[in-house]
Amino acid sequence: MITFCLIFTNVLVYFLVQNDFTYALLGLNILFFKEGYFWQLLSSMFMHANLTHLALNMIVLFQFGRILESFLGALKFFLLYFIGGVICSLLSAFYVLFAFDILDENTNIVGASGAICVLMGFYAFMDKSATKGLIVAILLMSFVPLFMGINVAWFAHIFGFVCGYILAKLRRAI
């Protein structure tokens, strides 16, 4: 049920928000973030650059969300998605700040990919037979688009996957 609510919310936000200023305000944009717009850590998870971006993210969210929501239960799945997604956004903010200060790049990060990669990392820890394949999938979805000239927040994918893996490991340890 949570998975479907997340998908519905992402689709709704996509169709409601269609202007550049709102993308900059709700996406993870370092210029606004440095001014105290900290809600971007959460709001950026519901913004998407285009319909293809939205569709691909929602397909993967559906795939892993259904499995993990059944395994963890609704509340724990909800917490994993949001806490993991916010941690991933925070790590991405540090990278974006670095890119801004050192490389003079101003990037606006949008998409549920980081939170979804948290789910993939969590699943990779839980199902050891899937770990290698999921690592390859994360690397492909992170770097192949870059070689094709498509902007992608590869660092959010990596941060999300590692975060999910660590959260699963911590869960197992408790």
Side-chain angles (χ1 to χ4, degrees):
M1 181 68 166
I2 299 296
T3 301
F4 291 109
C5 290
L6 289 170
I7 291 170
F8 175 78
T9 303
N10 276 280
V11 171
L12 182 66
V13 167
Y14 176 78
F15 286 106
L16 289 177
V17 177
Q18 292 291 327
N19 67 66
D20 291 339
F21 179 74
T22 308
Y23 271 93
L25 192 63
L26 298 177
L28 185 51
N29 181 301
I30 203 63
L31 296 178
F32 284 108
F33 190 76
K34 285 170 70 171
E35 296 298 318
Y37 292 50
F38 301 124
W39 64 76
Q40 292 179 342
L41 296 174
L42 181 62
S43 63
S44 62
M45 294 172 19
F46 294 95
M47 307 295 294
H48 289 82
N50 55 49
L51 200 51
T52 302
H53 183 212
L54 175 69
L56 291 172
N57 274 344
M58 295 307 100
I59 288 167
V60 179
L61 174 56
F62 177 76
Q63 179 183 8
F64 287 95
R66 284 182 319 119
I67 294 167
L68 289 174
E69 187 176 353
S70 294
F71 176 73
L72 295 170
L75 178 61
K76 288 180 183 174
F77 172 74
F78 177 83
L79 293 173
L80 173 66
Y81 186 86
F82 279 98
I83 292 170
V86 169
I87 292 169
C88 179
S89 290
L90 185 59
L91 293 170
S92 295
F94 286 121
Y95 177 82
V96 170
L97 179 61
F98 166 80
F100 182 76
D101 287 344
I102 305 300
L103 306 174
D104 201 32
E105 294 178 3
N106 183 19
T107 308
N108 189 40
I109 307 300
V110 295
S113 301
I116 293 167
C117 289
V118 168
L119 302 180
M120 295 173 74
F122 193 94
Y123 185 82
F125 182 84
M126 300 309 290
D127 182 358
K128 297 295 186 198
S129 67
T131 302
K132 288 180 186 175
L134 287 171
I135 290 171
V136 169
I138 290 293
L139 293 173
L140 289 173
M141 69 186 238
S142 297
F143 297 109
V144 169
L146 289 176
F147 295 129
M148 297 168 46
I150 300 169
N151 249 350
V152 64
W154 58 270
F155 47 89
H157 298 164
I158 305 299
F159 290 150
F161 189 85
V162 170
C163 179
Y165 197 89
I166 291 170
L167 288 171
K169 192 170 187 151
L170 290 173
R171 179 184 181 271
R172 175 77 47 94
I174 295 174

